[in-house]
């Protein structure tokens, strides 16, 4: 099974485009795709039949970020603006959080742990209804949000190092390192576990991610002292554009200082995406998925229409993490 995962990662590396944004197209699509292989026999047939849908649409929430009002806050939470030990003290119920902080504050500083629970409830209901299109759409989106919760820089107001003179670290950690090094990552997680307590679980994921923020920033500063500007960055051809990127030498040195942190968090994302999908299915009564088909023509037309609308839609107000 472990060799199968290595082979799958190689396939994903060849097939997916390389874009330097967040877990990005490469990261999110890799996570959703590999999460399928953590599922039990009662689920994996349906999910494998739709693995391309789940892979391709893993990035759809990012496409909506700047054009759909209310989308952006679903991807992060700035725990540090709420004071010391906020991850342990904040209300787990969104209504209670609104009463304490106000809706505007929560929307400004992110709602990812609460939104994952919203998606958990939606997917459970989709399974109960045996609605194949709804199961696929919510699964793809939910995978994105769970994966975002596994990223340290999605849990801090200093999300791109803009407050510490480290602007660009967002793309370095979440995109550049996986693009360069994921072919050597160990993504084997074993079967997806059932989540007994989804709310504490997603908050535990966010808390773990936030605990890594200090090392994410500190090690980048330390490695930077060893590299002059012309060695820290390089220029690469991406499609028809020449873009500045962190050099391979700098990226590998940073990866070594992090001691496999990106790999561990990416593996956590694969495991937890599968776990949330599996938990929703169990909580819905483990419905028979064998008679469900691949995404319908109606769903394909909906996605095509949404893509067209997103391309021409005006930019929406998207507070927080816009760098």
């Amino acid at each position: 099974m472990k060799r199968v995962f290595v082979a799958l990662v190689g396939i994903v590396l060849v097939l997916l485009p390389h874009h330097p944004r967040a877990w990005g197209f490469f990261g999110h699509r890799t996570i959703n795709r590999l999460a399928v292989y953590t599922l039990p026999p009662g689920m994996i047939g349906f999910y494998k039949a739709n693995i391309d849908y789940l892979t391709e649409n893993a990035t759809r929430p990012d496409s909506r970020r700047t054009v759909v009002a209310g989308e952006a806050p679903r991807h992060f939470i700035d725990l540090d603006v709420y004071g010391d030990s906020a991850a342990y003290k904040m209300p787990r119920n969104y209504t209670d959080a609104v009463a304490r902080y106000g809706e505007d504050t929560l929307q400004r500083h992110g709602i990812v742990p609460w939104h994952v629970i919203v998606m958990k409830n939606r997917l459970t209901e989709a399974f109960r209804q045996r609605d194949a299109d709804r199961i696929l759409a919510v699964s793809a989106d939910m995978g994105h949000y769970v994966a975002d919760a596994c990223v340290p820089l999605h849990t801090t107001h200093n999300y791109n190092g803009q407050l510490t003179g480290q602007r660009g670290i967002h793309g370095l950690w979440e995109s550049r390192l996986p693009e360069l090094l994921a072919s050597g990552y160990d993504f084997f997680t074993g079967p997806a576990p059932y989540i007994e307590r989804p709310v504490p679980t997603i908050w535990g994921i966010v808390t773990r991610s936030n605990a890594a923020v200090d090392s994410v920033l500190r090690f980048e500063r330390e490695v930077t002292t060893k590299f002059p500007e012309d060695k820290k960055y390089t220029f690469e051809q991406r499609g028809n554009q020449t873009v500045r990127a962190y050099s391979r030498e700098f990226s590998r040195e940073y990866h070594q200082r992090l001691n496999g942190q990106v790999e561990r968090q990416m593996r956590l994302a694969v495991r937890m995406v599968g776990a949330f999908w599996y938990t929703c299915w169990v909580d819905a009564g483990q419905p028979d998925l064998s008679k469900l088909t691949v995404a319908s023509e109606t769903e394909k037309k909906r996605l095509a229409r949404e893509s067209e609308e997103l391309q021409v839609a005006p930019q929406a107000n998207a507070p927080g993490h816009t760098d």
Side-chain angles (χ1 to χ4, degrees):
M1 178 62 78
K2 192 169 184 176
R3 287 195 294 270
V4 172
F5 262 69
V6 172
L8 286 168
V9 173
I11 292 171
V12 172
L13 280 167
V14 171
L15 294 180
L16 299 185
H18 291 205
H19 294 266
R21 46 181 298 207
W23 277 128
F25 285 83
F26 169 74
H28 278 296
R29 291 178 176 180
T30 299
I31 290 164
N32 266 16
R33 192 174 192 90
L34 295 182
V36 170
Y37 293 91
T38 70
L39 298 175
M43 297 183 72
I44 195 168
F46 172 68
Y47 273 73
K48 280 186 70 176
N50 289 285
I51 196 168
D52 289 340
Y53 177 105
L54 294 163
T55 301
E56 293 164 8
N57 290 291
T59 56
R60 192 164 289 267
D62 271 340
S63 300
R64 299 193 298 257
R65 281 187 67 138
T66 59
V67 295
V68 176
E71 176 62 43
R74 299 169 180 171
H75 299 249
F76 66 92
I77 181 170
D78 296 333
L79 288 174
D80 42 9
V81 305
Y82 295 102
D84 292 339
S85 303
Y88 302 97
K89 298 176 181 178
M90 297 183 74
R92 282 9 185 183
N93 180 280
Y94 187 70
T95 300
D96 294 339
V98 170
R100 179 179 298 185
Y101 302 112
E103 183 83 26
D104 289 346
T105 296
L106 293 175
Q107 291 294 314
R108 185 179 309 113
H109 295 296
I111 60 171
V112 65
W114 295 293
H115 191 64
V116 166
I117 299 305
V118 170
M119 298 301 288
K120 190 271 176 192
N121 294 334
R122 289 178 183 172
L123 183 55
T124 301
E125 183 58 27
F127 278 124
R128 288 196 183 106
Q129 298 297 326
R130 292 173 173 77
D131 184 336
D133 287 347
R134 184 69 172 159
I135 290 169
L136 292 172
V138 179
S139 291
D141 282 2
M142 187 182 193
H144 186 105
Y145 301 124
V146 172
D148 275 351
C150 296
V151 177
L153 291 169
H154 280 240
T155 68
T156 174
H157 187 51
N158 191 24
Y159 56 89
N160 196 27
Q162 75 279 7
L163 304 179
T164 50
Q166 296 170 276
R167 192 177 296 275
I169 194 173
H170 194 148
L172 170 63
W173 193 99
E174 297 179 314
S175 189
R176 183 63 167 167
L177 294 190
E179 285 180 4
L180 291 177
L181 303 168
S183 61
Y185 288 177
D186 176 9
F187 285 116
F188 183 71
T189 69
Y194 176 77
I195 301 172
E196 296 284 350
R197 302 171 67 203
V199 172
T201 295
I202 189 58
W203 279 92
I205 292 170
V206 166
T207 301
R208 166 175 164 165
S209 298
N210 186 248
V213 170
D214 178 69
S215 59
V216 169
L217 297 169
R218 176 162 49 88
F219 291 146
E220 193 276 342
R221 285 194 298 268
E222 292 176 0
V223 175
T224 293
T225 64
K226 301 170 59 176
F227 283 78
E229 185 84 0
D230 63 337
K231 299 297 183 182
K232 180 177 179 178
Y233 299 101
T234 188
F235 289 91
E236 296 183 351
Q237 194 71 23
R238 291 180 181 249
N240 296 323
Q241 292 183 317
T242 300
V243 299
R244 191 176 82 153
Y246 290 92
S247 71
R248 293 173 182 267
E249 294 76 12
F250 181 89
S251 300
R252 290 193 176 94
E253 179 75 15
Y254 183 47
H255 168 75
Q256 290 175 2
R257 291 302 306 275
L258 289 170
N259 193 27
Q261 183 189 81
V262 177
E263 176 183 356
R264 290 192 301 274
Q265 291 301 109
M266 206 167 174
R267 185 166 59 241
L268 172 68
V270 171
R271 178 176 174 82
M272 296 317 301
V273 169
F276 270 99
W277 289 346
Y278 173 49
T279 299
C280 294
W281 178 68
V282 171
D283 288 353
Q286 302 184 38
D288 182 4
L289 305 182
S290 64
K291 295 181 176 59
L292 300 186
T293 60
V294 296
S296 69
E297 288 303 315
T298 299
E299 173 64 5
K300 293 175 183 177
K301 290 178 181 178
R302 183 191 71 81
L303 293 174
R305 185 170 61 252
E306 181 182 278
S307 295
E308 292 175 0
E309 291 172 350
L310 290 175
Q311 290 177 7
V312 300
Q315 298 289 299
N317 180 27
H321 295 217
T322 57
D323 235 346

